[in-house]
Amino acid sequence: MDIGFIGLGNMGAPMARRLIEAGHKLVVYDTRNDAVAPLLALGAQVASSPADVADRVETVMASLPSLQVSKKVALEEGGVIHGKRIKRFVDLSTTGSRVAAEICAVLAKKNIVQIDSPVSGGVGGAAKGTLAVMVSGPQADIDVVKDALNVFGTVFVIGHKPGMAQTMKLANNFLSATAMAATSEAVAMGVKAGLDPAVMIDVINAGSGRNTATTGKFPSTVLTRTFDYGFTTALMLKDVRLCVEEARGLGVPNAVMSSVLNEWEFTNTEFGGDSDFTAIVKMIERRAGVVVGKAGKKP
Ligand code: NAD
């Protein structure tokens, strides 16, 4: 099918590439020319603005870095709302349910359907097509885009109320953020007591403490000291902050969420929003006065 794709970053670029490889015709847009060039080389058409994308196709997908950018691309001057052909806007970004519902309501006035479709599974999952794709929106429009979304991974229809898929995504990312923060503290404690972090990770992965940080992030980017998982601290901070807001708004206890949020705020202040989110380990290391790395290998 003809698909517009806006936002060709860490996630958007591999997802757009997979759509082209699956035979879809893409019209792409990003504010960075260097992001657009590889897709152009694969045969995508390049548009001059989100509105231009929405002038050319009925289905527009977006993978954008912040709530403000999602709102701008959807609703503001030059946004998809001004497009002549667009029928549905599929937001693959993490925006939280409030912003998703807000965008949905404004687009509805122009008879444009908004489909929430946040994803989980990282840059590697985007490249391999193994993402968890969470979807909420009207069933008829979900049916139209389902084959295209299947290219990204496994599609889970969460519900039909705007924002439901966003709530699902925040619950997932809170758990991922918590695993990373908690594993950083646990391993730093062990290292300070003289344990080998690589052995610790092996033991935890054979035991009941196993989680996504111990199976993925620690072996691939922390113990190797590369800190290049491909998800920024700014994005993780955004997700945990949205999760705390969501829980507070619903009147749900959030003591663990709020404490995890603090850890990401410290990381953001000390290492900057552009740092890889695995930098949280370095924040803990500073306070503990130890370095977590492969035994015998100096960082
Ligand atoms: P990114 O910063 O790498 O990519 C965002 C892209 O949007 C960039 O190419 C940027 O140039 C472009 N952009 C910024 N403003 C724009 C505008 N006004 N118009 C058009 N393009 C614009 O971010 P990412 O890591 O690809 O994440 C994208 C979304 O996916 C975020 O909402 C994030 O929370 C979510 N997400 C990311 C991951 C991950 O592992 N990186 C995993 C799951 C979900």
Side-chain angles (χ1 to χ4, degrees):
M1 69 189 278
D2 291 350
I3 300 171
F5 204 107
I6 302 171
L8 304 162
N10 287 329
M11 295 297 282
M15 291 164 97
R17 175 182 54 74
R18 289 190 64 81
L19 286 171
I20 292 175
E21 285 169 359
H24 298 287
K25 292 206 177 94
L26 255 63
V27 181
V28 299
Y29 174 72
D30 194 293
T31 42
R32 293 182 300 124
N33 286 337
D34 59 323
V36 168
L39 275 302
L40 179 66
L42 290 173
Q45 290 177 37
V46 178
S48 58
S49 67
D52 185 25
V53 175
D55 273 341
R56 303 194 204 183
V57 293
E58 293 182 353
T59 298
V60 178
M61 298 185 176
S63 177
L64 298 164
S66 70
L67 282 58
Q68 294 74 11
V69 175
S70 275
K71 279 165 82 169
K72 182 173 163 70
V73 162
L75 309 177
E76 291 178 14
E77 181 78 31
V80 298
I81 195 166
H82 302 291
K84 295 185 183 66
R85 284 193 64 196
I86 182 170
K87 288 191 175 161
R88 60 195 71 82
F89 179 61
V90 183
D91 200 347
L92 303 158
S93 329
T94 306
T95 62
S97 64
R98 190 179 50 80
V99 165
E102 207 178 306
I103 293 174
C104 179
V106 180
L107 290 180
K109 291 183 191 155
K110 291 280 184 86
N111 290 322
I112 301 167
V113 167
Q114 198 256 16
I115 297 176
D116 269 336
S117 192
V119 298
S120 176
V123 176
K128 285 184 277 189
T130 57
L131 295 172
V133 184
M134 297 153 259
V135 188
S136 53
Q139 189 61 50
D141 287 271
I142 291 176
D143 289 343
V144 174
V145 297
K146 204 164 175 189
D147 280 351
L149 294 178
N150 269 324
V151 167
F152 303 145
T154 308
V155 175
F156 297 90
V157 178
I158 307 298
H160 304 298
K161 210 175 101 192
M164 287 177 98
Q166 290 290 338
T167 307
M168 179 67 243
K169 162 73 182 170
L170 296 181
N172 176 80
N173 272 36
F174 158 60
L175 292 175
S176 166
T178 303
M180 192 61 206
T183 303
S184 303
E185 291 186 355
V187 176
M189 177 182 76
V191 169
K192 194 150 188 185
L195 278 63
D196 179 335
V199 173
M200 285 187 80
I201 292 299
D202 286 347
V203 173
I204 293 167
N205 283 337
S208 56
R210 189 168 183 265
N211 63 62
T212 51
T214 60
T215 54
K217 289 119 199 176
F218 267 69
S220 68
T221 65
V222 177
L223 298 183
T224 55
R225 309 299 294 178
T226 53
F227 298 103
D228 58 352
Y229 197 75
F231 187 60
T232 63
T233 298
L235 289 178
M236 189 50 109
L237 177 60
K238 172 189 74 164
D239 291 356
V240 181
R241 199 175 267 153
L242 284 170
C243 187
V244 170
E245 284 170 16
E246 190 103 3
R248 282 186 187 148
L250 290 164
V252 172
N254 51 74
V256 178
M257 291 175 183
S258 300
S259 161
V260 171
L261 175 58
N262 274 340
E263 304 283 286
W264 292 103
E265 273 167 350
F266 289 141
T267 308
N268 192 59
T269 304
E270 291 176 32
F271 295 93
D274 288 338
S275 63
D276 194 80
F277 86 116
T278 51
I280 191 169
V281 177
K282 298 192 218 171
M283 187 276 289
I284 304 286
E285 286 174 342
R286 273 187 185 170
R287 285 155 177 73
V290 293
V291 170
V292 171
K294 256 186 185 148
K297 191 184 166 206
K298 289 265 178 236

